[in-house]
Amino acid sequence: MRFNSKVIHGGQEPDKAYGAVMPPIYQTSTFAQTSPGNHRGFQYSRSANPTRTALENAMASIENGNYGLAFASGLAAIDAVLKLLNPGDEVISTNDLYGGSYRLFKKIFENYGIVFHFMDMEEVSLVQDQINERTKMIWLETPTNPLMNIIDIEAVSQLATANGLLLAVDNTFATPYLQKPLDLGADIVMHSATKYLGGHSDVVLGALVVKDEELAKRLYFIQNASGAVSGPMDSFLVLRGIKTLHVRMQRHCENAEAIAHFLRKHPKVDTVYWPGFEEHPNHDIAKKQMVNFGGMLSFVPKGSDYKVTLQFVERLKIFTLAESLGGVESLVGHPASMSHGSMSKQERDKAGIADALIRLSVGIEDVDDLIEDLSQALDESLI
Ligand SMILES: *Cc1c(COP(=O)(O)O)cnc(C)c1O
């Protein structure tokens, strides 16, 4: 089955009880047993719930994996992956990654003796220099947040394999519509399904997909033992969101492309970060590993003027100033104070995140309305 059919049918079968076409929301904590241990595959909803299983199967299908796991949030999914490690183990990670992942690594898991190295992975040969006998995992995000750098998943995966390391890829920004990390050699794909997979800004949920059975067993054990599972209603919402993923992504990409070109030509805009530009430093890799360039972009106003940034975001009428991304509605964010506010100024500077940087999650509204909104907000801002 092709991707556009998999999002609708992948891993799904009509409900066994009444043939319901959509999986019912099995809002139950427990399941009747006829005698101890004799049940129909479900015992207790932390271990497994039919609605969650339907979502997990759909996730495995659209990422070309064999096993899916759904969690209460994207961070809960990352938390489960890190619990594969032991004190003393080291992880190499991209440096401009999602602020919450950075906080989880530094403020929680470093206390348990896991060591994190953050680096620019665009130059893959530099990753090799960071590997030592304690390195166990590479954590990679591409496109990176918020600077839209692109990392060559296949090249990093070859390095990981050669050194016996696990490669985990946060595929939240791209979604499997644009890139499939498992096909490129990754061991674990992670999603904040809160974003594009859910797609309607109405649910918080995380997911993992793997191919390897042993790895899946270890993760299922952690999922059940730690217990940060997604509830039936939330699982249902993401399952429903996935069914329109391909249609939404197509429009997100088209709208973002038009906006990227509009901003690049605008006299008050300095740098625009969007991997679809030919002069983007990793444009060729983006073209190689992605089907299109996604719905996210960032830009800095002329003169890196923080005042302009504030005026601009306050003047927008259709773009809503809010955390998060990937919903049908357009959002604007200010990484330095919002998504990346838990990084120090020094850490942000190191990652190249300017104080004036503005991030857009381009929605699927009429693109002319979006451009008019950006245009009026830029025109009326200082400079
Ligand atoms: C939002 C996000 C997360 C965290 O997911 P939650 O669902 O908010 O816990 C992780 N990675 C990326 C890239 C994200 O955008």
Side-chain angles (χ1 to χ4, degrees), residues 73-75 98 141 170 172-173 190 192 194-195 204-205 325:
S73 69
L75 284 174
Y98 175 68
E141 214 180 284
D170 182 337
T172 300
F173 269 38
M190 174 265 155
S192 171
T194 312
K195 316 295 167 53
V204 172
L205 189 144
L325 61 107

Side-chain angles (χ1 to χ4, degrees), residues 55-95:
L55 170 64
E56 293 176 332
N57 292 342
M59 285 298 313
S61 168
I62 61 175
E63 280 288 4
N64 289 350
N66 296 322
Y67 305 94
L69 300 95
F71 293 85
S73 69
L75 284 174
I78 303 176
D79 179 88
V81 172
L82 295 174
K83 285 172 177 160
L84 293 167
L85 302 172
N86 293 306
D89 288 351
E90 298 193 5
V91 178
I92 303 173
S93 168
T94 34
N95 57 6

Side-chain angles (χ1 to χ4, degrees), residues 197-226:
L197 298 181
H200 296 75
S201 306
D202 53 9
V203 62
V204 172
L205 189 144
L208 301 175
V209 181
V210 303
K211 273 188 166 159
D212 180 71
E213 186 181 357
E214 274 314 301
L215 185 56
K217 277 188 186 154
R218 290 172 66 199
L219 288 167
Y220 281 126
F221 179 82
I222 294 168
Q223 183 192 36
N224 183 45
S226 287

